[in-house]
């Protein structure tokens, strides 16, 4: 009897029909043909022979180019990716991968050639001049190529790769955080000079939101009775088919980024004060539409200059929030959920930076422990 997924069925006329993938169209969609038999076994055997012939055609005469494979793979994943992620991958394929190695047939490519190409991108891979690309950017190229080849293998378009594609380790950059003095000074300045930009700074310092999430926040996302912020959207930058960039509001990058964050008394007071004079649907916008992160960050740096606080990028406020939470005794699991991370390890490895003062306290704590133990 036929099993689920075999694509074999008994027709009303008594014959057995078995379907198989004969080819794929230009978008990578499977085109099915059928064979028939008087019994299930006969139809299954005919289906097996057709599949074998198809495998031979793929391995011997398949002339698919790498750029065609990359486009097929990306189209097959379009429904899974956020629009901004899809746009980013398409840009990398169209501007970097396709022009350089896209006209090579998939069957003629080997991992050694791909690794040489990626190594060159690390040295002088920029589109303008001979500037090197960052390890993180080249790593994304490697991940795209690796995923595309796995897709090709699963679809019978090529044999499995014999070795791994080189994926450069992304350099862990030194993360800036505000000192306790700068943190307190900036909070006081923003509270005294309250506007939509300084409110956004207070939200980052008091709730750890990303800049795109802050730009997407609407007043309806704030529950003043329960003192909660609902994070449901983010503002992202994408490129269209012509290479023109635009901003759009979309769902956060992961399901864990959709979250609810408690609001402190001080932040709630600031929110209510700005709400009185706001005509916008969006919390940090003075207009009916949302403000884009680039414009908001420009205004943020103006506020830093006016406050005479060290000029750090906006994401440093999120790092500062995480560090202050750890120093204040918040458990990592709670902090991870507030930050919208998919795992506690991301919080520990990326955002939690022990300050020198905290290290001193921990050393003193261990010293006291052994002193007390010695007295027992």
């Amino acid at each position: 009897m036929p099993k689920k997924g075999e694509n074999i069925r008994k027709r009303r006329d008594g014959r057995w029909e078995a379907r198989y993938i004969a080819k794929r169209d230009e978008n990578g969609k499977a085109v099915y043909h059928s064979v028939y038999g008087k019994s299930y076994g006969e139809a299954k055997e005919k289906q097996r022979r057709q599949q074998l012939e198809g495998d031979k055609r793929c391995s011997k005469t398949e002339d698919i180019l790498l750029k065609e494979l990359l486009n097929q793979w990306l189209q097959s994943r379009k429904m899974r990716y956020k629009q901004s992620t899809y746009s980013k991958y398409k840009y990398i394929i169209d501007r970097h991968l396709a022009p350089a190695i896209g006209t090579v047939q998939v069957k003629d490519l080997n991992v050694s050639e791909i690794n040489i190409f990626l190594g060159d991108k690390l040295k002088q891979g920029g589109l303008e001049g001979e500037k090197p690309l960052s390890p993180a950017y080249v790593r994304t190229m490697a991940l795209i190529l690796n995923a595309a080849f796995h897709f090709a293998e699963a679809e019978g378009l090529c044999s499995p790769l014999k070795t791994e594609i080189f994926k450069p380790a992304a350099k862990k950059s030194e993360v800036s955080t505000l000192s306790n003095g700068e943190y307190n000074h900036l909070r006081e300045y923003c509270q005294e000079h309250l506007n939509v930009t300084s409110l956004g700074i207070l939200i980052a310092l008091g709730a750890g939101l990303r800049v795109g999430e802050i730009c997407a926040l609407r007043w309806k996302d704030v529950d003043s009775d329960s003192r909660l912020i609902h994070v449901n959207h983010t503002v992202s930058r994408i490129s269209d088919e012509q290479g023109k960039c635009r901003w759009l509001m979309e769902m956060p990058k992961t399901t864990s980024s959709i979250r609810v964050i408690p609001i402190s008394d001080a932040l709630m007071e600031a929110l209510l004060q700005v709400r009185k004079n706001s005509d916008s649907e969006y919390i940090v916008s003075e207009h009916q539409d949302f403000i884009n992160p680039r414009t908001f960050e420009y205004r943020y740096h103006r506020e830093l200059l006016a406050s005479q606080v060290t000029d750090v990028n906006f994401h440093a406020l999120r790092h500062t929030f995480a560090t202050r939470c750890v120093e204040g005794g918040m458990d990592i699991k709670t902090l991870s959920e507030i930050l919208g991370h998919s795992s506690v390890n991301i919080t520990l490895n990326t955002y939690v930076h022990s300050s020198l003062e905290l290290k001193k306290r921990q050393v003193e704590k261990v010293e006291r422990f052994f002193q007390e133990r010695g007295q027992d």
Side-chain angles (χ1 to χ4, degrees), residues 108-346:
D108 293 334
L109 268 175
N110 58 56
V111 174
S112 177
E113 292 170 334
I114 293 173
N115 288 341
I116 291 173
F117 162 75
L118 294 174
D120 289 341
K121 283 291 182 180
L122 277 174
K123 297 175 183 176
Q124 49 184 32
L127 295 175
E128 297 179 3
E130 296 183 349
K131 292 183 179 180
L133 291 175
S134 70
Y137 200 82
V138 176
R139 183 178 177 84
T140 302
M141 290 185 188
L143 293 173
I144 289 172
L145 288 166
N146 198 52
F149 274 98
H150 281 306
F151 168 77
E153 178 189 340
E155 297 296 318
L157 300 177
C158 72
S159 300
L161 296 177
K162 295 181 179 180
T163 54
E164 287 292 319
I165 292 177
F166 168 64
K167 294 184 280 293
K171 291 182 179 179
K172 193 172 182 179
S173 57
E174 188 67 28
V175 178
S176 300
T177 59
L178 298 177
S179 67
N180 287 332
E182 290 174 320
Y183 169 77
N184 291 326
H185 177 73
L186 183 58
R187 282 187 62 190
E188 291 172 5
Y189 174 86
C190 289
Q191 289 165 348
E192 292 172 3
H193 302 80
L194 202 54
N195 54 50
V196 291
T197 304
S198 58
L199 178 59
I201 295 172
L202 290 173
I203 293 172
L205 289 173
L209 270 67
R210 305 173 178 94
V211 63
E213 294 170 338
I214 292 173
C215 291
L217 271 183
R218 290 172 287 193
W219 289 110
K220 68 178 184 180
D221 297 323
V222 177
D223 185 341
S224 56
D225 294 331
S226 301
R227 295 181 176 242
L228 298 171
I229 291 177
H230 296 261
V231 182
N232 299 309
H233 296 89
T234 188
V235 176
S236 303
R237 185 170 179 261
I238 67 166
S239 300
D240 59 22
E241 300 293 337
Q242 287 73 41
K244 294 182 180 179
C245 296
R246 62 186 179 91
W247 297 90
L248 81 160
M249 195 163 76
E250 59 182 354
M251 299 289 285
K253 59 182 181 180
T254 61
T255 54
S256 54
S257 292
I258 301 174
R259 60 201 190 277
V260 179
I261 303 174
I263 305 173
S264 66
D265 291 343
L267 180 55
M268 190 71 248
E269 182 180 345
L271 283 163
L272 292 175
Q273 189 171 335
V274 173
R275 181 72 181 94
K276 293 177 184 177
N277 302 315
S278 176
D279 295 324
S280 175
E281 176 186 358
Y282 296 90
I283 292 177
V284 297
S285 175
E286 297 170 330
H287 308 286
Q288 291 308 310
D289 200 4
F290 60 78
I291 185 174
N292 71 65
R294 179 171 290 179
T295 301
F296 182 82
E297 289 196 61
Y298 171 76
R299 295 179 180 179
Y300 155 73
H301 285 290
R302 286 196 311 188
E303 294 290 335
L304 279 190
L305 182 64
S307 68
Q308 298 183 334
V309 171
T310 303
D311 191 11
V312 294
N313 63 43
F314 190 83
H315 205 66
L317 304 187
R318 180 170 160 89
H319 289 276
T320 300
F321 168 78
T323 304
R324 296 291 91 82
C325 286
V326 173
E327 291 177 349
M330 182 182 291
D331 68 273
I332 300 300
K333 177 62 176 174
T334 299
L335 176 58
S336 181
E337 292 178 358
I338 288 176
L339 292 172
H341 291 155
S342 56
S343 74
V344 172
N345 286 336
I346 297 175

Side-chain angles (χ1 to χ4, degrees), residues 90-100 121 127-128 137 243:
K90 183 167 177 54
Y91 180 87
I92 290 175
I93 290 171
D94 291 345
R95 301 299 299 275
H96 290 279
L97 300 179
K121 283 291 182 180
L127 295 175
E128 297 179 3
Y137 200 82

